[in-house]
Amino acid sequence: MGFGGISIWQLLIVLVIIILLFGTKKLRSLGGDLGSAIKSFKQSVREGEDSESNNNNTAIDNNDDNVVSKSEVKEKDSQSN
């Protein structure tokens, strides 16, 4: 028993019919195009994740600039008095 009640022999017959209809060159180019599309999609997802993490790091860095240490507050208080 194969996939969903389809036997392996039925799958092989379908594969042979597809090869006869489209030819091996067409199937090879279709496979190459599909492979390159998947590769570029994965690359885009990785770049998106990288830029998202860079944006988060920038936001964290900006927030760090607003943080004032206790010693700086004491210095400012002593200077204003």
Side-chain angles (χ1 to χ4, degrees):
M1 176 132 322
F3 303 99
I6 299 173
S7 72
I8 214 66
W9 293 109
Q10 291 170 334
L11 289 173
L12 288 174
I13 291 171
V14 169
L15 181 63
V16 167
I17 291 172
I18 290 174
I19 289 173
L20 289 174
L21 285 175
F22 295 109
T24 56
K25 281 187 175 183
K26 183 80 168 179
L27 290 176
R28 189 177 304 137
S29 68
L30 182 66
D33 292 342
L34 183 63
S36 64
I38 291 172
K39 184 178 178 180
S40 66
F41 175 75
K42 287 181 179 180
Q43 184 180 7
S44 299
V45 168
R46 268 190 243 115
E47 288 174 358
E49 289 173 350
D50 290 344
S51 67
E52 183 177 306
S53 66
N54 287 341
N55 289 341
N56 288 341
N57 290 341
T58 303
I60 291 170
D61 290 343
N62 289 341
N63 289 336
D64 288 344
D65 293 340
N66 296 330
V67 175
V68 179
S69 68
K70 290 180 181 180
S71 61
E72 290 175 348
V73 171
K74 287 180 183 178
E75 287 176 16
K76 288 181 183 178
D77 286 340
S78 65
Q79 289 174 358
S80 65
N81 291 334

